[in-house]
Amino acid sequence: MAALGALALTACSDESGAATGEQFPELGSPAPHELIAAWDTDVRYDGAGLPPGEGTRDQGALVYAEHCVACHGETLRGVEGVQGGPLIGAGQTVTQHWPYAPTFFDYVRRAMPFNAPGSLSDDEIYGLAAYIFAEGGIYPADRPMNAATLTAMEMPNRDNFVPDPRPDVK
Amino acid sequence: MKDEKPEVLDVIGTAEDCDCKEGMFPDPGRRALLLGGAALAGTGLFAGRAGAEATQGASQHAVLDDPTSQPGPASGGGYGLRSQFETVSRWEFPLPQPGVSGSFTPLAGTHGTITPSGLHYEVHRGGVPTIDPARHKLLIHGKVKRAKVFTMADLYRFPSVTRTAFLECAGNGGMEYARPSMPHVQGTHGLTSNSEWTGVALSTLLREVGLEDGANWLLGEGSDAGMHTRSIPIDKAMDDAILAYAQNGEAIRPEQGYPLRLLLPGFEGNMSIKWLRRLDVTDKPSFTRPEVTTYADTLADGTTRYFTWEMEAKSVITFPSGTMKLPIPGTYEVTGLAWSGRGKITGVEVSADGGKTWARANLVAPVLSMAHTRFTFGWRWDGKPAILQSRATDETGYVQPTITALVDVRGVNSKDHNNGIQSWAIDAEGNVTNVHA
């Protein structure tokens, strides 16, 4: 049996010694479409993956008051002693620092609210984006938010992002 | 010294003056052992830090005056424990939000190069999930020829690889840019650890599913609350990335990503996604929130660097180091750790005069690529004030810079990727403190 095992492994390796796909046909299962649909919920910087739906500033304000205010504060500038931190104003805030607006949808959908991530509807998240970006002064208060408007946003800090230049110190 | 201790010192718990090499273990619990061993034996209680906290990872037994006079207790069962006298432990950063925390490796209390799994640093932002390996799945999809789901049983059947690698949090030393902040090496450098990792080469699985044209990136995703995500360049994925299920010979610990984590040797720690459940093969990076905020350094000029992946060459002296005390002038073995995310360490130099003069330290074999390397240096302390430093060079020729040189380029807004030279001041009494020099 040991000899057979060694033979099989030899046949399973390419010249580099690494295993190649075709020689392990029985390992892993074809991914069901339902699983991919359920898990493939990320949204890319360019808006790829944004779902249908829409929300207004006023709708977002209600969602904020219910789910966000405890950690991010009445003025969206954080709460003393709580890690939620500011959403607008100075620092690495979503409205003044983040280079791409769709990232907001991605992060809120996967990670917020902190104690119940994944519990907000797509419309609620669009509403939150309308509210927070309006409060941050980078989006009109009377304009609903959806996939197209979120993708089209030009974030004020985008041009300040540079790829890693290290080693930067000799 | 104690009058001038930084505020954070109170949080950690102050070490009493310690004898050398008792100073290797600046831990009140161990000190208490020296002073009160008899009391331990009588009561079964342990006089640990902040009152009578039991020693973690140990069981308490009576200590006989003569251990040869009667048989001791049984061995402690199917999973071995450490001695009740060993109290070296991680220090958990006191953040206010449950589920968002990190703990620091006691570098001065570990030996050799391997970090015990229970002392490996860890950071989590949505708690530590409890995952049944029998139900865990890894989905690989996107720009692949055959999207597949792998169970842990599937992964165990692939050819395995084993390698030693350090993991370092990008924020290690982040509080030290502007000023000396943390009192000892656990605080200044404890967000790096070194383990032997075993798993499946990611390249093996990517060949299994077959990459399509334009497969330039992977989005890796964890199954923790918040589903941590990072964009991984395909070159790294095909080069030396591992899907790790074991650490130091046993299944990886829950806080390290049980049952499956990504391991990207040399890259900032958070990219080695824990509790890994999904790899989405894509043509472009995603620019997830951690990639544009937490791990993106904003410089003094307002620019922000993204995709700062490799942890640059770094070293630190762990003995003697902050809060320790050299009892008398004489000869000591200075020791510490060096590592580089770009390959092997080729040299470490030590200075006792704040960087004016340098001498080559001994590198303890084995010297492995992208792994902690132990160095030693015989030094005679003449009893006068001194400033000890170490400086690492890696196989690319890169030399570890001073913190001043880093700040000159980056400013002090940046909280991450501080690989500057650490300075430990020794005063005429032998007290060791964290300074900038």
Side-chain angles (χ1 to χ4, degrees):
Chain A
M1 279 306 294
L4 280 176
L7 274 176
L9 267 184
T10 302
C12 290
S13 298
D14 63 16
E15 288 178 0
S16 70
T20 55
E22 287 70 23
Q23 278 96 20
F24 293 98
E26 301 303 324
L27 290 176
S29 313
H33 294 298
E34 300 77 22
L35 180 69
I36 296 176
W39 283 12
D40 184 12
T41 58
D42 65 90
V43 172
R44 212 161 61 179
Y45 75 96
D46 56 5
L50 277 172
E54 190 167 271
T56 66
R57 178 200 175 282
D58 289 349
Q59 290 166 339
L62 293 175
V63 176
Y64 186 87
E66 184 174 355
H67 297 289
C68 317
V69 70
C71 294
H72 296 288
E74 298 281 353
T75 64
L76 288 69
R77 292 171 188 272
V79 176
E80 182 77 24
V82 179
Q83 278 184 268
L87 301 171
I88 64 176
Q92 290 192 334
T93 64
V94 57
T95 56
Q96 264 61 51
H97 175 80
W98 294 25
Y100 303 106
T103 308
F104 173 86
F105 195 103
D106 178 77
Y107 186 71
V108 172
R109 180 154 72 175
R110 72 177 56 253
M112 290 291 123
F114 181 80
N115 57 356
S119 61
L120 298 178
S121 72
D122 294 342
D123 288 350
E124 287 177 319
I125 299 171
Y126 280 124
L128 275 177
Y131 173 65
I132 292 169
F133 290 167
E135 292 295 303
I138 62 170
Y139 195 73
D142 58 354
R143 193 169 178 204
M145 190 72 83
N146 55 43
T149 58
L150 195 62
T151 302
M153 286 196 66
E154 294 185 8
M155 302 298 273
N157 194 42
R158 182 182 301 178
D159 291 342
N160 282 324
F161 277 77
V162 297
D164 181 15
R166 299 174 309 156
D168 55 347
V169 177
K170 306 286 185 190
Chain B
M1 167 195 174
K2 286 183 177 170
D3 294 334
E4 299 169 358
K5 64 190 177 189
E7 188 176 336
V8 71
L9 203 63
D10 289 329
V11 179
I12 298 176
T14 318
E16 295 178 48
D17 290 349
C18 45
D19 299 328
C20 192
K21 272 194 172 185
E22 192 54 35
M24 284 288 282
F25 309 91
D27 186 315
R30 192 176 171 91
R31 181 70 177 172
L33 159 68
L34 295 176
L35 300 175
L40 270 180
T43 63
L45 295 175
F46 189 79
R49 67 178 71 195
E53 188 178 323
T55 303
Q56 286 188 313
S59 60
Q60 301 292 335
H61 301 284
V63 181
L64 305 178
D65 288 337
D66 177 5
T68 69
S69 63
Q70 66 181 72
S75 68
Y79 196 88
L81 303 176
R82 65 176 173 175
S83 164
Q84 67 200 57
F85 302 112
E86 294 302 312
T87 58
V88 170
S89 57
R90 290 189 297 209
W91 169 60
E92 194 160 353
F93 197 85
L95 293 174
Q97 191 118 357
V100 183
S101 193
S103 52
F104 293 60
T105 294
L107 293 178
T110 60
H111 306 270
T113 57
I114 295 295
T115 308
S117 299
L119 297 177
H120 197 291
Y121 91 87
E122 52 101 16
V123 176
H124 55 264
R125 302 188 183 281
V128 175
T130 302
I131 297 174
D132 179 352
R135 294 167 56 189
H136 190 69
K137 293 181 175 67
L138 172 67
L139 168 65
I140 304 182
H141 69 109
K143 298 182 85 64
V144 298
K145 294 175 177 138
R146 299 169 293 277
K148 280 196 163 190
V149 177
F150 300 93
T151 63
M152 292 306 300
D154 292 331
L155 296 177
Y156 296 144
R157 285 179 60 191
F158 278 95
S160 63
V161 294
T162 293
R163 72 162 292 165
T164 301
F166 77 85
L167 276 177
E168 183 181 15
C169 179
N172 199 23
M175 286 174 286
E176 306 296 315
Y177 265 118
R179 68 190 71 82
S181 174
M182 306 298 277
H184 54 44
V185 71
Q186 185 168 12
T188 60
H189 289 75
L191 292 175
T192 186
S193 308
N194 194 58
S195 289
E196 182 192 85
W197 303 95
T198 298
V200 184
L202 179 52
S203 60
T204 300
L205 283 192
L206 293 179
R207 289 191 182 96
E208 172 76 21
V209 296
L211 295 176
E212 291 185 339
D213 289 343
N216 303 321
W217 294 82
L218 279 74
L219 181 71
E221 185 176 76
S223 44
D224 50 334
M227 295 188 290
H228 179 60
T229 44
R230 286 297 309 254
S231 305
I232 314 295
I234 197 72
D235 288 350
K236 183 67 173 178
M238 295 300 289
D239 180 16
D240 59 2
I242 296 172
L243 297 173
Y245 46 70
Q247 175 185 12
N248 299 330
E250 63 181 353
I252 56 180
R253 298 287 171 101
E255 69 268 31
Q256 292 303 326
Y258 185 88
L260 186 69
R261 78 174 304 164
L262 192 57
L263 183 80
L264 303 180
F267 278 25
E268 57 183 8
N270 78 90
M271 295 180 75
S272 290
I273 295 168
K274 301 188 283 191
W275 314 293
L276 184 73
R277 79 168 191 180
R278 186 168 75 98
L279 291 168
D280 184 0
V281 182
T282 63
D283 56 345
K284 295 178 184 176
S286 291
F287 289 101
T288 65
R289 187 238 177 183
E291 291 168 356
V292 298
T293 60
T294 318
Y295 303 104
D297 298 330
T298 298
L299 309 188
D301 65 3
T303 60
T304 297
R305 293 174 174 176
Y306 61 89
F307 296 157
T308 40
W309 295 324
E310 296 97 343
M311 299 306 291
E312 296 187 295
K314 188 169 178 179
S315 68
V316 65
I317 292 170
T318 56
F319 176 84
S321 59
T323 71
M324 295 181 185
K325 181 175 184 178
L326 300 181
I328 53 170
T331 301
Y332 294 91
E333 183 185 64
V334 174
T335 186
L337 295 166
W339 60 97
S340 169
R342 296 201 183 101
K344 287 184 182 179
I345 291 295
T346 53
V348 174
E349 299 157 286
V350 170
S351 173
D353 55 12
K356 294 188 187 72
T357 60
W358 296 89
R360 202 162 181 83
N362 172 54
L363 301 185
V364 180
V367 177
L368 302 173
S369 178
M370 302 180 204
H372 281 183
T373 297
R374 173 69 61 177
F375 66 86
T376 59
F377 182 78
W379 178 55
R380 182 166 187 81
W381 180 48
D382 59 10
K384 295 174 183 166
I387 294 178
L388 284 177
Q389 299 178 331
S390 63
R391 180 171 74 180
T393 301
D394 71 17
E395 63 179 315
T396 71
Y398 175 87
V399 180
Q400 183 183 5
T402 63
I403 292 178
T404 302
L406 289 170
V407 170
D408 283 347
V409 172
R410 303 176 186 174
V412 294
N413 290 338
S414 176
K415 297 294 179 231
D416 287 341
H417 308 102
N418 177 3
N419 66 318
I421 290 171
Q422 172 68 39
S423 301
W424 301 118
I426 300 171
D427 68 15
E429 282 74 51
N431 297 302
V432 189
T433 54
N434 179 13
V435 298
H436 276 191

